[in-house]
């Protein structure tokens, strides 16, 4: 009974996402290629933060009597680095497909190519889910490692995210790209400030 309700809710959500993806693909068509590429480049700060976290040996300050998972996740920066790298890759893949940049970099002659796989509306909807899941894992990691104060430092940037989502829903795609690009940069800056 409960599984059936969850499954039905999931199916409704999938249909909604696939429709939103179709709308994204229509709205992005008139946007110049250079603006789409510039928007995609706003993911670079995530990669830089992940690279720094992989290269440092410092961990977050963790009390000895802290929760096991907190000690495991935060005594080195590896878990945080992997989480940030997952966010960077998920965001880059999703926005590459959303901006239809996948069609510019590869040909569709090979029917089994990964580009063909991410080009479908359904695949882009799944990439959006993956992006949201990675961000959720990043938030959990931030709460464990940087604490609630460190996690709360993202709140001043939330209005930019809300604006980007409102612009996207109101079919103002270029405004969405600017606001969401600023969101990428702001969240990477918050990650940078809260690093050990």
């Amino acid at each position: 009974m409960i599984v059936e309700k969850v499954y039905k809710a999931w199916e409704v959500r999938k249909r909604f996402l696939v429709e939103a993806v179709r709308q994204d693909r229509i709205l992005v068509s008139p946007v110049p290629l250079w603006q789409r590429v510039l928007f995609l480049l706003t993911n670079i700060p995530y990669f830089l933060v992940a690279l720094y976290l992989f290269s440092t040996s410092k961990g977050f300050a963790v009390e000895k009597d802290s929760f096991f998972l907190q000690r495991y996740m935060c005594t080195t920066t590896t878990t945080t680095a992997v989480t940030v790298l997952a966010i960077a890759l998920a965001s880059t893949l999703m926005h590459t497909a959303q901006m239809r940049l996948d069609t510019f970099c590869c040909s569709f002659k090979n029917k089994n190519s990964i580009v063909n796989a991410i080009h479908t509306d359904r695949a882009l909807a799944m990439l959006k889910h993956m992006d949201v899941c990675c961000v959720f894992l990043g938030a959990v990691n931030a709460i464990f490692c940087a604490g609630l104060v460190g996690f709360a430092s993202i709140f001043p940037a939330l209005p930019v995210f809300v604006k980007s989502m409102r612009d996207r829903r109101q079919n103002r795609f270029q405004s969405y790209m600017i606001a969401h690009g600023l969101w990428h940069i702001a969240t990477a800056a918050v990650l940078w400030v809260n690093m050990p």
Side-chain angles (χ1 to χ4, degrees), residues 53-119:
L53 287 168
F54 276 120
S55 69
T56 187
S57 60
K58 294 188 293 183
F60 292 90
V62 178
E63 296 177 18
K64 290 183 181 182
D65 61 341
S66 62
F67 181 56
F68 167 76
L69 192 57
Q70 184 180 17
R71 286 194 313 270
Y72 175 76
M73 288 174 59
C74 306
T75 53
T76 69
T77 57
T78 305
T79 306
T80 305
V82 168
T83 305
V84 174
L85 182 62
I87 291 169
L89 291 171
S91 180
T92 301
L93 271 174
M94 192 274 290
H95 289 305
T96 297
Q98 180 189 37
M99 295 291 127
R100 300 190 64 100
L101 293 173
D102 51 348
T103 59
F104 290 105
C105 66
C106 305
S107 93
F108 288 97
K109 292 179 183 172
N110 181 359
K111 296 289 182 197
N112 298 321
S113 74
I114 189 148
V115 174
N116 270 337
I118 69 169
H119 189 69

Side-chain angles (χ1 to χ4, degrees), residues 2 4 19 24 45 56 61 76 83 102 122 127-128 142 151 155 167 170 177 179-180 184 188 190:
I2 293 174
E4 185 178 319
E19 187 54 41
D24 281 355
T56 187
T76 69
T83 305
D102 51 348
R122 193 172 179 88
L127 286 171
K128 285 187 177 203
F151 177 72
F155 292 151
D167 288 342
Q170 293 175 351
M177 289 169 40
H180 201 71
H184 289 165
V190 167

Side-chain angles (χ1 to χ4, degrees), residues 132-171:
V132 169
C133 288
C134 288
V135 169
F136 176 75
L137 288 174
V140 169
N141 186 277
I143 290 169
F144 275 134
C145 298
L148 288 176
V149 173
F151 177 72
S153 61
I154 194 69
F155 292 151
L158 280 177
V160 175
F161 179 75
V162 170
K163 180 190 177 355
S164 74
M165 292 300 102
R166 190 171 354 114
D167 288 342
R168 193 182 142 277
R169 284 194 177 96
Q170 293 175 351
N171 299 339

